[in-house]
Amino acid sequence: MTVSPDIPPASPSGLATAGSGPSPMRRNRRSAKFLQIVLLLAVTLIAGLPVSGIIGERTDRQSEMQEEMMRSWSPEQTVRTPVLAVPYLAADGKTRGYLKIAPATLATQAALVPERKRRGLFSATVYTAALEMTGTFAVPPAPSLEKLVGRGSSISWQDSVFLLQVSGLAGMTAEDHVVWNGETIPWRGCQELVARAEDCWGAALAARPTMAAAPATSVEMKFQATVTLRGTGAFHQTLDGRQATAVIKAPWPTPSFVGTVLPSDPSVTADAFEARWNVSDYSRPPLRSDAALLDSAEARYLPSVGVELLEAVPTYRMINRASKYASLFVVLSFTVYALFELLADVRIHIVQYGLLGLSMTLFSLLLVSFAEPFGYIAGYWISAALVLVQATAYTAAVTRRTGPTLVFATALASLFGFLHLLLGLENYSLLVGTIALFLVLSAVMAVTQRVDWQGEEP
């Protein structure tokens, strides 16, 4: 019996010995190399966790510095609506309280002068606020007051105080004063003018207007007041009155308007902002009786307006966001090296993968190191340039070819540029990032169609 020369002889096991596909040994070597790369990728990503811890520690130190600045300069300022407080003693001779009259009309204008205070590598935004207030009080007649405090109560009009409650008294100047019905009167500390010092448990300014006795009919009292205050980070106001307007302006390009009421016509330019609020509130009575002189929890139900002075580029927030994408650099570099092995017949040792991964991991540490003294944008590009030069030079030494080196440098530079653009997108970063990952995966799938996955190991 003869065997056709076109048919290879069968092996004893019944399998072809030639032309039947890759050997099991070569397939096993490829699988082992792939497993090594995956394990090394996981180890490299884990090795980057201490860098995240360092970034978190620096962020905490920045927060601690801001808290120290609040204590030494002044906290965030919250200015409550000025009120006319009149002490009274009930008919039983024991119950004491205050009649509080809210302004019928109120107009405020706050001009903030911000600046950056630095301590070492850390900084905080502080400001000095010049606040002007004008308005009127509608003082009700005596019969209306008796209904509120009870007949026979003793109302001490001569002890009335024009009261302004704030978060801190730092920044006051000698020019600050109150004009009450044409009479100029100075500001005083609350404890100087209130008989019971324990009633002044918080930061408050007071002035003693001329109030002889309860009017027989409703009387309108006009006032004008100026006050200079210091604060850190944000400025807030509460508006308690039937008709109130507030204006806040500052030479600051990145404000964030906060509060229960948004501004009606804000104007924000590259150098400054100005915002106006108009509030009409008829839900609260203009006259009320209260056992405490200073408001506490009740103020949170009042309409509030304010502004936060944000950094144009918040350094530590951007560093934290960038560090969360650090794994992309490692994954991209490993993917490009693997494609070199599959498509360009380049032999790369697993140790060389590891050294490249360490280079990519250092980007986040370089970023926080350079961003603290030079700012986020400069720190980002300095760090990106260092990593790009180092990784590209190493790739050139590993591959010893111009083509793969240029491909790697282009891919890494594109990732750095795209990440910087992505981090600048506040609202659409997730959408743009997801689409970009989808396109990159599609490109890898298209390129690897040329790979014979069952063929010999490169």
Side-chain angles (χ1 to χ4, degrees), residues 12-29:
S13 62
L15 300 175
T17 58
S20 60
S23 68
M25 182 177 298
R26 286 170 176 168
R27 287 199 300 268
N28 289 340
R29 283 202 298 267

Side-chain angles (χ1 to χ4, degrees), residues 96-113:
R96 295 179 179 272
Y98 294 90
L99 286 171
K100 293 182 179 178
I101 305 173
T105 62
L106 175 66
T108 69
Q109 180 167 309
L112 311 185
V113 180

Side-chain angles (χ1 to χ4, degrees), residues 245-291:
T245 62
V247 175
I248 303 177
K249 58 183 180 180
W252 193 262
T254 52
S256 175
F257 302 114
V258 295
T260 59
V261 182
L262 294 179
S264 55
D265 51 352
S267 173
V268 182
T269 66
D271 300 319
F273 73 87
E274 181 173 341
R276 178 181 298 272
W277 289 263
N278 297 288
V279 177
S280 299
D281 185 13
Y282 292 88
S283 61
R284 287 169 56 85
L287 175 66
R288 62 187 184 275
S289 174
D290 198 338

Side-chain angles (χ1 to χ4, degrees), residues 168-377:
L169 299 177
M172 292 287 295
T173 66
E175 289 75 21
D176 296 329
H177 62 275
V178 177
V179 178
W180 182 268
N181 271 352
E183 178 188 3
T184 300
I185 51 179
W187 284 113
R188 293 285 185 264
C190 177
Q191 294 182 351
E192 296 182 49
L193 300 182
V194 176
R196 294 189 301 174
E198 62 271 16
D199 288 349
C200 299
W201 51 266
L205 294 169
R208 176 61 50 78
T210 302
M211 297 288 293
T217 59
S218 181
V219 175
E220 186 177 87
M221 300 288 185
K222 296 181 180 181
F223 72 89
Q224 179 181 359
T226 59
V227 62
T228 305
L229 301 169
R230 296 196 310 204
T232 301
F235 179 82
H236 308 272
Q237 286 181 260
T238 60
L239 301 177
D240 183 9
R242 294 295 175 93
Q243 299 288 337
T245 62
V247 175
I248 303 177
K249 58 183 180 180
W252 193 262
T254 52
S256 175
F257 302 114
V258 295
T260 59
V261 182
L262 294 179
S264 55
D265 51 352
S267 173
V268 182
T269 66
D271 300 319
F273 73 87
E274 181 173 341
R276 178 181 298 272
W277 289 263
N278 297 288
V279 177
S280 299
D281 185 13
Y282 292 88
S283 61
R284 287 169 56 85
L287 175 66
R288 62 187 184 275
S289 174
D290 198 338
L293 176 62
L294 303 184
D295 292 329
S296 55
E298 187 181 46
R300 62 185 174 184
Y301 300 107
L302 295 173
S304 62
V305 302
V307 62
E308 294 180 355
L309 303 178
L310 302 180
E311 292 183 70
V313 181
T315 300
Y316 287 94
R317 184 161 65 90
M318 298 299 289
I319 291 174
N320 275 312
R321 292 183 63 189
S323 66
K324 294 177 181 178
Y325 290 94
S327 59
L328 289 179
F329 296 100
V330 181
V331 173
L332 175 72
S333 60
F334 278 29
T335 301
V336 173
Y337 268 29
L339 291 177
F340 287 165
E341 290 201 74
L342 292 171
L343 302 176
D345 195 25
V346 176
R347 296 296 181 92
I348 303 176
H349 195 273
I350 193 67
V351 174
Q352 294 171 320
Y353 276 90
L355 292 175
L356 179 67
L358 292 177
S359 176
M360 297 296 106
T361 302
L362 283 177
F363 170 72
S364 297
L365 189 59
L366 289 170
L367 176 58
V368 69
S369 300
F370 284 105
E372 285 184 343
F374 301 119
Y376 168 75
I377 295 178

